[in-house]
Amino acid sequence: MAAVVDRLNTERTTFSVEFFPPRDDEEERILWRAVRELEPLDPAFVSVTYGAGGSSRDRTIRTTGRIAQETTLTPMAHLTAVDHSVAELRNVIGWYAASGVRNVLAVRGDPPGDPNGEWIRHPEGLSYAEELVRLIRELGEFCVGVAAFPHGHPRSADLDTDVAYLVRKIRAGAGFAIAQLFLEPEYFLRLRDRVAAHGCEVPLLPGVMPITTPRVLGKFGELAGVPVPTEVSARLLPLAEDPAGFRAAGVDLVTRLCERLIAEGVPALHFYTLNRSKATRQVVANLGL
């Protein structure tokens, strides 16, 4: 199984995609349709987000394993420290290894039920993502990624504090980082500059999401944790009753964002797909990737 850092080590900009675990059999069919439609485009890797408990966690593990065993794609598993003892984390990591999954995104995760609620450490668990990075690296030949926040993590006091935590995760053994969503490239580029100023040269991937409907636009604000930029709302919201026009404008907006990032030398674009492939395939085609 190829390491993500090796898949990113190319002379051209590439892309990756992210899915979330299906909640039922119908969503699983939709997800696998998207996987098969994206497979011929040879993304650098595909990732599946992780729910801390119950069926969400189990479907994440199963889906990631299926991608490893039944496709030509390079899968990356997500893993969070939420509600897990170290023993449970070791078990999940071992299952990934047994399934041929050797790339893991290590995130502390949000409190279940209320992402903005108080973080409560499992009595036998971990408190920080950097501890999770070290645990994964100790258990085998894994390529580990971490999350980055162009607007700063909501729990960080300021951007300098936030980047200091990111640097600690990288120095704990992370080989790359994936940035949370943004629509204004300057936030990502300034984050990259702050990381470089600490002497860290790992690949930093921008997180982007095609804006295809008013609902997706609202979802952006929820996932990014920041308001939608005023100029974006002003461009898209007048088209709310024109589905085709809204979609075309949203895809064009994200295409232009990606063009700016490519011009700035990003190694790859990380697409949040919402388990659909069409819009991502449109942007990838527009960019000639």
Side-chain angles (χ1 to χ4, degrees):
M1 180 63 64
V4 164
V5 291
D6 293 333
R7 295 282 291 166
L8 296 175
N9 187 24
T10 66
E11 295 182 356
R12 64 179 181 85
T13 303
T14 183
F15 74 100
S16 56
V17 295
E18 181 165 312
F19 302 113
F20 58 82
R23 292 171 293 187
D24 53 39
D25 291 344
E26 176 58 25
E27 285 194 1
E28 191 153 1
R29 284 190 289 271
I30 293 171
L31 167 61
W32 277 93
R33 184 185 308 128
V35 169
R36 294 304 186 185
E37 288 170 344
L38 287 163
E39 187 174 8
L41 302 182
D42 190 32
F45 63 92
V46 299
S47 67
V48 183
T49 60
Y50 186 87
S55 61
S56 176
R57 178 192 63 194
D58 297 339
R59 285 180 182 270
T60 297
I61 294 172
R62 185 172 71 247
T63 300
T64 308
R66 279 191 65 189
I67 291 172
Q69 295 164 4
E70 300 179 20
T71 77
T72 61
L73 297 165
T74 298
M76 180 182 72
H78 285 218
L79 185 60
T80 80
V82 176
D83 285 347
H84 278 332
S85 68
V86 170
E88 290 169 333
L89 291 169
R90 287 175 177 270
N91 183 60
V92 175
I93 295 165
W95 193 97
Y96 282 141
S99 300
V101 177
R102 291 290 178 171
N103 299 290
V104 180
L105 188 77
V107 296
R108 188 178 75 165
D110 296 323
D114 180 7
N116 297 315
E118 181 184 359
W119 166 262
I120 299 176
R121 173 183 174 272
H122 186 286
E124 299 173 358
L126 303 176
S127 297
Y128 300 103
E130 67 177 285
E131 297 174 311
L132 186 54
V133 172
R134 291 193 183 94
L135 177 65
I136 297 168
R137 292 297 303 270
E138 288 169 1
L139 294 177
E141 294 297 321
F142 289 97
C143 176
V144 182
V146 292
F149 299 89
H151 294 280
H153 191 282
R155 298 176 191 277
S156 290
D158 51 52
L159 293 177
D160 288 335
T161 301
D162 187 70
V163 81
Y165 281 116
L166 174 57
V167 169
R168 286 171 59 173
K169 292 187 288 188
I170 293 169
R171 291 178 175 161
F176 65 99
I178 298 176
Q180 183 55 278
L181 289 169
F182 60 92
L183 285 173
E184 296 166 294
E186 288 74 21
Y187 284 96
F188 174 82
L189 298 173
R190 290 169 189 158
L191 169 63
R192 189 175 66 172
D193 290 344
R194 291 194 298 273
V195 173
H198 283 266
C200 294
E201 299 181 354
V202 302
L204 179 60
L205 279 57
V208 295
M209 184 171 71
I211 308 296
T212 55
T213 67
R215 176 181 171 276
V216 172
L217 183 62
K219 189 72 172 176
F220 166 86
E222 176 187 331
L223 294 174
V226 295
V228 175
T230 302
E231 58 271 26
V232 173
S233 297
R235 180 178 178 186
L236 295 182
L237 290 183
L239 300 170
E241 301 302 319
D242 175 10
F246 189 103
R247 182 185 184 88
V251 168
D252 178 69
L253 184 150
V254 173
T255 297
R256 293 181 183 276
L257 169 65
C258 293
E259 288 173 340
R260 169 73 188 283
L261 295 169
I262 291 172
E264 294 286 348
V266 302
L269 304 161
H270 186 69
F271 287 96
Y272 295 83
T273 67
L274 299 180
N275 289 14
R276 301 296 197 277
S277 72
K278 184 177 180 180
T280 297
R281 287 186 285 123
Q282 284 182 295
V283 175
V284 168
N286 291 347
L287 298 171
L289 299 181

